Amino acid sequence: MSKTNQKMSGRPRSAKSHQAILKAALELLGEVGFENMSIEAISIRAGVGKTTIYRRYKSKEELVADAIESIRQDVVIPDTGNLDNDLDELIENAAQITLSPLGKQTVAMIISSAASNYQFAQIYWTKYLQPRREAFASVIERAKMRNEIQADVDSGLIFDSMSGIMLYALIFPPETESWTTYVRRALHLLL
Amino acid sequence: MSKTNQKMSGRPRSAKSHQAILKAALELLGEVGFENMSIEAISIRAGVGKTTIYRRYKSKEELVADAIESIRQDVVIPDTGNLDNDLDELIENAAQITLSPLGKQTVAMIISSAASNYQFAQIYWTKYLQPRREAFASVIERAKMRNEIQADVDSGLIFDSMSGIMLYALIFPPETESWTTYVRRALHLLL
DNA sequence: TTATTACGATACGATGCTGTTTCGTAACTT
DNA sequence: AAGTTACGAAACAGCATCGTATCGTAATAA
């Protein structure tokens, strides 16, 4: 905003420091969680002065929101010509992200702050879930055209249900099978 | 343990204080979350000295684990003679507990500490989910006997899926319908 | 009654983080 | 070159909480 919409005189803000701050914030979020991470720890890990962070962000919330938003992951839209294979790829991809420490802490942060601060859920929805929900829809669409499933299938609701079981299995990992097999088995109930 | 298995001389620990501590801990957990609650705040709200808490618990984790464990909720096993009605009651009951501030913070705590400390998930599973999973199984069992559903339905997997969608809808509340309708609609995909 | 343990209150030093300020230096614009 | 802004480092007072220790009092057992 203020950085780009107007040429400022004086030394410009360091893009390198900016990247280092976001990186350190995400690392610490995954390691210790939102509540236990301090601005001081972030500045030390990023190798920048505390001042530099306080100059950019008014609060930890703002910083972390920006950091999460900065994650750009390519959305996979599998197209193997077969629904089951497509779904397997989607599940595999979701597993990698969701089961990581950062993924877990992000979800925890969203839940615990949901009542007071909806911005984290908002970002996660827009940046992460929404694109994948659409990718899922196009996978389902193709399966419909191949007559693999009925035309009245509600891809949105199925995606939500699938996300739900993934979340559940994240907290209470299945004991007798792998996370992915379990999710796959649940998904077969839905289709 | 040490309190009951042996008659001690001297003044016994106050059961009243004990109750007050657990109550205050649960209240604060719902209000500010696990990370933001201090032993000091608990002692003040409970109207006891800090010493009294430190004498009983070595850590906040221990205290909160005990507090959660102390919640005794009657498990509803509906038997209306009709599966859909039975399920509605189960959903309604789950909604009340899950959507409360305490319910949300408990879940958030479980997730964020899952990697380092599995005891919270363990307690929640044993004290809360397990009994309900069994109640759900008997509801399904009765529906099978009435030939409302097929005999090969896996009640456990369906319960997990249902819990999953509830959890998901807790974080990302449906915009165009109520929480319960949404859950009910998802459940119909499964049965 | 005496011995023992718990009680609530209060004070304590230690710790870790907050957000701000000051400093000399570095990187730009005009 | 002059002017301006950002940089990292360091110091700062302020605050909340930690876990422990000390106090005189209360409640129980022998």
Side-chain angles (χ1 to χ4, degrees):
Chain A
M1 296 266 173
S2 54
K3 188 182 171 187
T4 50
N5 65 358
Q6 199 175 329
K7 45 184 168 183
M8 310 279 275
S9 67
R11 176 176 177 173
R13 291 192 176 169
S14 161
K16 201 170 145 194
S17 292
H18 205 84
Q19 287 310 112
I21 291 168
L22 297 181
K23 181 164 177 281
L26 290 176
E27 284 175 9
L28 282 168
L29 177 59
E31 288 171 25
V32 303
F34 180 76
E35 302 290 352
N36 290 319
M37 67 197 276
S38 67
I39 303 282
E40 207 152 22
I42 297 170
S43 80
I44 291 170
R45 181 169 302 205
V48 306
K50 256 202 304 185
T51 332
T52 306
I53 295 182
Y54 280 111
R55 197 178 292 117
R56 289 171 161 79
Y57 302 100
K58 285 208 297 276
S59 65
K60 197 167 65 171
E61 282 77 8
E62 218 179 76
L63 199 177
V64 172
D66 195 29
I68 293 176
E69 204 157 359
S70 77
I71 307 175
R72 277 258 165 252
Q73 281 152 331
D74 292 331
V75 179
V76 178
I77 309 185
D79 188 6
T80 62
N82 172 276
L83 179 59
D84 280 348
N85 291 342
D86 284 358
L87 293 177
D88 280 353
E89 282 198 28
L90 284 173
I91 292 172
E92 200 58 49
N93 179 259
Q96 279 179 18
I97 300 166
T98 312
L99 297 179
S100 71
L102 176 58
K104 290 184 187 180
Q105 292 293 354
T106 304
V107 171
M109 187 181 63
I110 291 171
I111 299 178
S112 70
S113 70
S116 58
N117 193 345
Y118 196 63
Q119 68 169 320
F120 293 130
Q122 203 85 31
I123 293 170
Y124 193 77
W125 174 263
T126 309
K127 292 277 164 179
Y128 181 77
L129 284 177
Q130 184 76 8
R132 268 152 246 272
R133 207 172 191 258
E134 283 162 13
F136 186 79
S138 61
V139 164
I140 293 293
E141 205 51 48
R142 274 199 292 270
K144 283 179 184 172
M145 291 203 275
R146 287 192 301 260
N147 289 313
E148 288 184 287
I149 52 174
Q150 292 177 1
D152 66 348
V153 163
D154 180 346
S155 75
L157 186 60
I158 292 180
F159 178 84
D160 293 346
S161 301
M162 187 182 71
S163 303
I165 189 71
M166 284 178 174
L167 193 54
Y168 180 83
L170 166 70
I171 311 175
F172 305 105
E175 291 172 350
T176 58
E177 57 191 325
S178 77
W179 192 84
T180 49
T181 358
Y182 179 73
V183 170
R184 205 177 297 135
R185 207 153 63 82
L187 188 50
H188 276 300
L189 289 178
L190 298 162
L191 285 170
Chain B
M1 296 270 178
S2 53
K3 188 182 170 187
T4 48
N5 65 357
Q6 197 173 330
K7 45 184 170 184
M8 310 281 274
S9 67
R11 178 176 177 174
R13 292 192 174 169
S14 161
K16 202 170 146 194
S17 292
H18 206 85
Q19 287 310 112
I21 291 168
L22 297 181
K23 181 161 176 284
L26 289 175
E27 284 175 11
L28 282 168
L29 178 58
E31 288 170 26
V32 303
F34 180 76
E35 302 289 351
N36 290 319
M37 65 197 278
S38 65
I39 302 282
E40 209 151 21
I42 297 170
S43 79
I44 291 170
R45 181 170 301 206
V48 307
K50 257 202 305 186
T51 331
T52 306
I53 295 182
Y54 280 111
R55 196 177 293 116
R56 290 172 160 77
Y57 302 100
K58 283 207 297 278
S59 65
K60 198 167 63 171
E61 282 78 8
E62 216 179 78
L63 199 178
V64 172
D66 195 29
I68 293 176
E69 204 157 0
S70 76
I71 306 174
R72 277 257 164 251
Q73 281 152 333
D74 292 332
V75 180
V76 178
I77 309 186
D79 189 6
T80 62
N82 172 275
L83 178 59
D84 280 348
N85 291 343
D86 283 358
L87 293 177
D88 280 352
E89 281 198 29
L90 284 173
I91 293 172
E92 200 57 50
N93 178 260
Q96 280 178 17
I97 300 166
T98 312
L99 297 178
S100 71
L102 177 58
K104 290 184 187 181
Q105 292 293 355
T106 304
V107 171
M109 187 181 61
I110 290 170
I111 297 178
S112 71
S113 68
S116 59
N117 194 345
Y118 197 63
Q119 69 171 320
F120 292 130
Q122 203 85 32
I123 293 169
Y124 192 76
W125 174 263
T126 309
K127 291 279 165 178
Y128 180 76
L129 284 176
Q130 184 77 8
R132 268 153 245 273
R133 208 170 192 260
E134 283 162 13
F136 185 79
S138 62
V139 164
I140 293 293
E141 204 52 48
R142 273 198 293 268
K144 284 179 184 172
M145 291 204 276
R146 287 192 300 261
N147 289 314
E148 288 185 287
I149 52 175
Q150 293 178 1
D152 66 349
V153 163
D154 180 345
S155 76
L157 186 59
I158 292 180
F159 178 84
D160 293 346
S161 301
M162 187 181 70
S163 303
I165 190 71
M166 284 177 174
L167 193 55
Y168 181 83
L170 165 71
I171 310 175
F172 305 105
E175 291 172 351
T176 58
E177 57 192 325
S178 76
W179 192 84
T180 48
T181 354
Y182 179 72
V183 170
R184 205 176 296 132
R185 207 152 63 81
L187 188 51
H188 277 298
L189 289 179
L190 299 162
L191 285 171

